[in-house]
Every structure is written in structure tokens, then in C-alpha cells.
Amino acid sequence: MSSRFVRNSLFGTIAGVSTTLGSFASSLIVARLLGVEATGAVAYVVWVVGVATTLTSLGLPFTLARYLPEMLGRGETQQAMRLAAYLFRPFLLASALPAIGFASYAGWLIVQHSDALAQFDPQTPLHDPMICGLVGLTCLAQALAEYARSYLRGMHAFSRVAKITSISMAAQLVALAIGSSLFGVRGAVGGYLCASLLPLLVLHEIWREPGKAAPDLKARIVTYARFRWASEILGFFIWSRIEVFFLQVFWGIQSIGLFTVGLTLANLAIQGPLMLTWGLLPHFSEQRGQNDVEAMRRVYATGTRLMAFLVFPACLGLAAVMPAVLTLLYGQAFAGAIPAATILVCAASISAVATVGTNLMWAMERSDVDFYVGLVGAVLSIAGGLLVIGHLGPMGAAYSRAATQLVAVGVSSWFLVRRLHFEIPIASLARLFAAAVLCAITARLCLDLVSGILGLLVAIGAGAATYLIAVRLLAALPPDDIARLRSVSRMMPGGLARAIDPAMRLILG
């Protein structure tokens, strides 16, 4: 792997750590300050923002991250900046639509109900004019911020992404704590808005450039963006909490609070390893521009093994200690989320490993595959929402989400092997999964023997040691992969590198 890829991945990791810890801390702040019902209301509003921004994205942020690295790989830096400016104009117009729509709806609510601002019901947050106004602003700010981050990633400016993301998440936490304490759900929504303001400063670099794209490139972009946009919309049914909608319809806001807590912990388990994939799309795209398919094969196999090495123990280990972790973090009021959270975190381990292949298909301009996979997933999600969530509530949402994601991963993997002719390292994945199962069993036994925080600490330590020993005994990773892990660990800050090195020596023997 190139040094720039490793560097980009490390800065991507820093940005990802900031996002993950910031999102996790945000959920804790809301849950502890506002309770289960208000947590559900905030989660529902955030979900609505996600739906609106996805519907109006036109697939352009991802298109930008896909094509800018390819142009940089050919030395076309100026053309890449002009392409970013060319795509920004239509993106800005589309992104403004939710803001206009929600602002208009807020005005209509005030006209229709003179006391609308004085009354707030957490069961119906979108009946509040202030919430609607904040939703509109957040939609616009989040969309523009995502475009700015995609531009920076496409230009290989991952260090700037890391810096901007870290500061933005810190601002969100402060605003969220103050807003939730003083203004409840309204203040919490305003806190989420704050995280999207700093990236907007990047947009002046794009706006000042004359927008231009070569005719042949335009044709490729239109095709890619069209499928990418459609697949993002359909993918929303699979990956982006469509279950929230059905829970709101059938079970109410409180069920959303329980489900999203479990989903937050599942995302927390996989986000650390997923951060390392931030550099994959630019790296694959650059190799694609150079027509170096063999290098893409090597990076795909290595990336998949290393992702599984990190994700499997994180997810299965967390599932084993979920009863202690969830109540410790969120309190006994959220204990009802434990079964759903356990299912979600186990299923997340499979979908996270598949992200390496997903980045590969995006780089090979097969965004059409995402569309068809999303179409299958959308049908399954709707069926699950109507037939399962309606009867089982949060548990049904967990079952439906897990089943839909596993089917989507299966279809994508089939295409990767049969159509693109890339080999999945099944043997290594099976050995890594077996080692992670041993890790989970050890952790759960420790937790049963020793209760409380001490038991949790013992469980984590014993599970981690068991996993590393099992990886060594099962020869789950080839020597080249271990060498890459050690190389990456040496690039980390001194204290962290010294902490990781014993684990590497344990695997190596």
C-alpha cells in the first residue's frame, strides 16, 4: 500500500474517531438529560434530516469523491477543482429545497395555530414550528458540509477533514449540552445544527473557481451520479434507520428511543475499523485511473482481512457484554433496548467487513449495482416494517434490519466474485470469526463470574487476550498483513504505538 494511502487512512481515522465519539457522546447527553421519550423525538427529527438530505443530494458528494482522485492521479489538479465548482451549482439549488419547504411549513403552522410556539408535544415533534425551522436549516447546512468534506477527501486533503471534523464535533457537544439543558428537544436539534457550520468555510475555495467539465467526463458523471443517487435513496431503506419510520407509525416515539440507543452502540462497535476505509475510495479510484487491476485485487484482499480482524471481536465482544455496557452508559430506563442492541451489533460485523468491496465497486464505476441491491433491500425493508416491526416493535426492527443488511451483503458479494472476478478471502474470514467467537465466550463468562464495572474491565481484557492468542494459533492473518498492521501502528503517536506493539508481538509470536 502507498504511503499516501496509509496517511489518508490515518487522518480519516482521526476524523472518524471524532465523528464516532461525538455522535456517541451526543446520544448519551440527550439520553441522560432528556429521557427515553425525548431521545426518541430527537432521533426522529435527525432521521427526517437524513431523509431530506439524501433525497436532494443528487448523488454528487460521492461522485465528487470518486472522480477527483482519478483526475489528480493524471495530474489534472486544476480540472479537478473546476469539476467541483461545476457540480456545486446544481447541488446548492437542490439542497436549498428542504430548507425552503420546512420554513414554509413552519410559517403555515404559526398562521394556523396562534399558540403553536407555546405548545410542544414530543410525540409529534414536526408539529412544532421552531423544530421545523431548525430542521430546514440543518438540512441545508449538513448537505453543504458533506459536499465540502467530499471535496477535501477527493483532493486528498484528509488532514483538513480531520481538523474540521474534530472541531465541529466538539462544538456540537457543547451546543447540545447547553441546548438540551435549557430548551429540551428544541435545543438538542439546534445543537446538531452547530456541527455543520465550520465545514461551510471550505466552500469559498469551490465557489471562486469557474465550473467546467469535459464532455466525455460529463457523460460518465451523469451515469455514475444517477445510479449513485438512486442507490443512496434505496440504500436509505437498508442502512439509514428506515425502521424509525415504522416504529413511529406503529409503536410511538418511545420505541424509537430504545431502538436508536441499540443502533448507536452497534455503530460505535464498527466505526473504529470503518474509519480505516476512508482512504479506500480515492486509492481504488487512482488505481482504476492507472488501470492497475492487480493492485486493486491485493488491496481488496488485504483490506477485507484487516477489517474483519478489527470488526469481528469488537462486535461479538460488545454483544457478549451488552447487558452491562448499555445500562452503565444509558441507565436502567433503557434496559429494554438490550436484546435489540445485541442483534444489531452482531449483524453489523458482517456489513462492516463488506464495505471494502463496496468501495471497490464504487471505484470501478459500478454504482448501478448499489441501485439494484438497494432495490432489493427497499422491498425487504418495507415488508419487514409492515409484517415484523408492526408486531414486534424494537425487536422486530432489529430482526428486519439485520436480515435486510445480510441479504444486501450477500448479493453484493456474489456480484463482486462472479462479475468482477475478485476473490473473497473466505478461509481467513472464517478463522477470524472463530477467534472472535472465542473472545465473546470468554468475555461473557468473566462477566457472569465478576459483576459490576470490575467485571466489565476483566471481561474486556480477557476477551482481547483470548482473541489475539486465537488469531495466532489459527494463523488467521498472513505475515504480510501483520507486518502492515505493525507498520501502521508505528505511525501512531508514541504512547498509542507502545500500547499496540505488545498485541502485535503476541500475534507474531
Side-chain angles (χ1 to χ4, degrees):
M1 296 184 184
S2 69
S3 59
R4 182 168 66 181
F5 169 67
V6 174
R7 183 175 180 272
N8 286 347
S9 294
L10 287 176
F11 278 118
T13 299
I14 294 172
V17 166
S18 300
T19 301
T20 299
L21 295 182
S23 300
F24 175 61
S26 296
S27 73
L28 286 179
I29 290 171
V30 173
R32 288 292 187 174
L33 291 178
L34 302 182
V36 177
E37 186 179 53
T39 297
V42 173
Y44 180 66
V45 170
V46 171
W47 176 80
V48 169
V49 171
V51 172
T53 53
T54 299
L55 290 175
T56 57
S57 73
L58 306 181
L60 294 182
F62 248 101
T63 301
L64 202 64
R66 161 62 185 85
Y67 284 96
L68 293 188
E70 179 181 317
M71 300 175 75
L72 292 179
R74 295 195 298 262
E76 301 172 353
T77 304
Q78 193 63 40
Q79 292 90 327
M81 296 179 68
R82 290 177 178 174
L83 174 63
Y86 174 78
L87 297 177
F88 181 66
R89 272 71 175 181
F91 180 80
L92 177 60
L93 292 175
S95 300
L97 295 178
I100 296 171
F102 279 106
S104 300
Y105 180 57
W108 180 83
L109 287 173
I110 293 174
V111 171
Q112 292 294 114
H113 308 282
S114 57
D115 60 345
L117 288 172
Q119 299 180 358
F120 178 76
D121 182 3
Q123 288 291 331
T124 54
L126 292 184
H127 290 178
D128 179 67
M130 187 173 294
I131 291 290
C132 289
L134 288 170
V135 166
L137 290 174
T138 305
C139 286
L140 179 60
Q142 281 195 6
L144 295 180
E146 181 58 28
Y147 193 91
R149 286 189 292 265
S150 294
Y151 164 74
L152 292 177
R153 286 195 292 266
M155 299 297 288
H156 293 298
F158 280 78
S159 60
R160 293 180 64 191
V161 175
K163 183 182 298 184
I164 289 172
T165 303
S166 301
I167 297 173
S168 297
M169 294 312 299
Q172 174 176 300
L173 293 179
V174 174
L176 196 63
I178 296 174
S180 299
S181 299
L182 297 178
F183 306 108
V185 174
R186 291 169 172 172
V189 176
Y192 280 102
L193 169 63
C194 292
S196 300
L197 299 180
L198 184 59
L200 303 185
L201 299 177
V202 176
L203 297 177
H204 78 91
E205 301 176 17
I206 302 172
W207 187 260
R208 69 188 182 189
E209 289 289 332
K212 187 177 181 181
D216 60 329
L217 182 59
K218 286 181 185 178
R220 291 174 61 199
I221 285 175
V222 167
T223 300
Y224 183 90
R226 183 175 66 239
F227 278 109
R228 180 64 210 174
W229 185 27
S231 66
E232 283 179 8
I233 294 173
L234 293 174
F236 207 86
F237 288 88
I238 307 176
W239 312 110
S240 299
R241 308 188 181 195
I242 185 61
E243 300 83 10
V244 166
F245 171 76
F246 292 105
L247 287 172
Q248 163 69 2
V249 171
F250 293 115
W251 287 75
I253 286 292
Q254 187 165 352
S255 67
I256 296 176
L258 295 175
F259 175 74
T260 54
V261 161
L263 201 54
T264 296
L265 289 176
N267 289 337
L268 181 66
I270 64 174
Q271 282 305 311
L274 281 180
M275 297 163 197
L276 297 175
T277 68
W278 279 37
L280 275 178
L281 180 58
H283 188 66
F284 278 140
S285 298
E286 188 170 333
Q287 290 178 332
R288 174 67 169 171
Q290 297 166 356
N291 201 29
D292 193 351
V293 178
E294 286 306 312
M296 297 176 75
R297 294 185 194 280
R298 290 193 299 271
V299 172
Y300 165 70
T302 299
T304 300
R305 287 192 297 265
L306 296 183
M307 180 63 64
F309 169 75
L310 297 170
V311 165
F312 284 162
C315 289
L316 299 189
L318 178 58
V321 298
M322 186 64 74
V325 170
L326 194 146
T327 53
L328 176 66
L329 294 173
Y330 290 94
Q332 284 296 328
F334 288 87
I338 292 173
T342 303
I343 294 170
L344 290 169
V345 76
C346 289
S349 67
I350 306 299
S351 60
V353 173
T355 57
V356 179
T358 302
N359 278 276
L360 176 63
M361 287 190 287
W362 289 339
M364 298 186 76
E365 300 185 354
R366 294 312 306 260
S367 56
D368 56 321
V369 178
D370 259 0
F371 170 75
Y372 294 117
V373 171
L375 191 61
V376 173
V379 173
L380 292 176
S381 294
I382 293 173
L386 296 174
L387 301 177
V388 182
I389 297 177
H391 293 288
L392 300 178
M395 279 297 292
Y399 286 131
S400 176
R401 183 178 181 85
T404 300
Q405 290 188 358
L406 292 179
V407 169
V409 168
V411 174
S412 298
S413 299
W414 174 87
F415 184 87
L416 193 66
V417 173
R418 298 302 297 271
R419 299 301 185 190
L420 299 183
H421 308 295
F422 280 75
E423 183 179 350
I424 299 174
I426 296 294
S428 292
L429 296 181
R431 289 193 288 267
L432 288 167
F433 192 83
V437 169
L438 293 175
C439 160
I441 293 173
T442 302
R444 188 53 180 263
L445 288 175
C446 290
L447 195 62
D448 289 340
L449 293 173
V450 185
S451 60
I453 297 179
L454 177 61
L456 183 59
L457 294 175
V458 171
I460 293 172
T466 300
Y467 177 69
L468 294 174
I469 293 171
V471 168
R472 175 183 172 185
L473 294 177
L474 295 173
L477 284 179
D480 288 348
D481 287 359
I482 298 173
R484 291 187 180 95
L485 283 173
R486 297 197 73 170
S487 176
V488 171
S489 70
R490 292 191 189 101
M491 299 176 66
M492 295 180 177
L496 186 57
R498 287 191 295 271
I500 293 174
D501 192 62
M504 294 297 100
R505 289 201 304 269
L506 184 58
I507 299 174
L508 283 168

